[in-house]
Amino acid sequence: MNSDKRNSYVVGAMYVGLVLTVLVALIPLGDHVAGNVLADHIAAGYPSYSQREIDSAASMYLVLLSIVGALGIVGWLVGVRAAVRWPRAVAGSVTTLLLVAAVGVALTGMFVPDTSGDTGLPLSLSWWLLLPCVPGLYAVAQLWTARRPAEQRQLA
């Protein structure tokens, strides 16, 4: 596969990740309006909380998740710029760093307990945080496995 085609796949994967990040960022907001899984999770972990305290905690999580989503969107835009304009080694390093950060945030939401002993986010919401990492993993793998132009010329 030539370098331009591989680069277009990398950029395409990054745009898929960007769209998934936007959609995943909207899931907690939709839950807050429709299902309130997050509020129910907080109420189960803190039975002594009043409805006002539960709503406040849920709102704080929504703010936090919105910030994480916004940072994810910025990360994808930086990754696209890196893949298009920067040397492949720099682009690979930047996107790897962004992927590690994204996976770290997702796994923190899934497995780190809060003071109640349960995870801060319900698993039904935190699993979604990993979804945008899939195209990120593909993009990182493509950036690191691509041959440099000098290697391609030597093989030809």
Side-chain angles (χ1 to χ4, degrees):
M1 182 181 324
N2 69 26
S3 180
D4 289 338
K5 190 169 188 170
R6 182 182 301 256
N7 203 37
S8 69
Y9 287 149
V10 168
V11 171
M14 288 183 179
Y15 280 124
V16 168
L18 174 64
V19 169
L20 289 173
T21 299
V22 170
L23 294 175
V24 167
L26 294 175
I27 288 172
L29 299 173
D31 170 64
H32 188 65
V33 171
N36 259 344
V37 170
L38 181 57
D40 292 345
H41 179 75
I42 294 167
Y46 297 94
S48 63
Y49 271 23
S50 68
Q51 188 60 45
R52 184 176 180 192
E53 291 171 312
I54 291 168
D55 291 342
S56 177
S59 295
M60 184 58 71
Y61 267 113
L62 289 176
V63 168
L64 177 67
L65 291 171
S66 297
I67 291 169
V68 167
L71 290 173
I73 290 167
V74 169
W76 283 114
L77 296 174
V78 168
V80 167
R81 184 174 180 93
V84 171
R85 297 185 178 180
W86 298 350
R88 191 165 289 276
V90 175
S93 298
V94 168
T95 55
T96 300
L97 181 64
L98 292 169
L99 178 64
V100 167
V103 170
V105 167
L107 293 178
T108 297
M110 291 175 79
F111 296 114
V112 173
D114 64 9
T115 58
S116 73
D118 201 359
T119 58
L121 288 174
L123 283 177
S124 60
L125 290 179
S126 58
W127 273 106
W128 288 105
L129 296 175
L130 280 174
L131 185 61
C133 297
V134 175
L137 181 62
Y138 172 81
V140 166
Q142 290 298 309
L143 284 169
W144 284 115
T145 60
R147 291 188 181 134
R148 292 184 292 276
E151 291 176 356
Q152 290 174 345
R153 283 193 297 272
Q154 288 175 352
L155 294 175

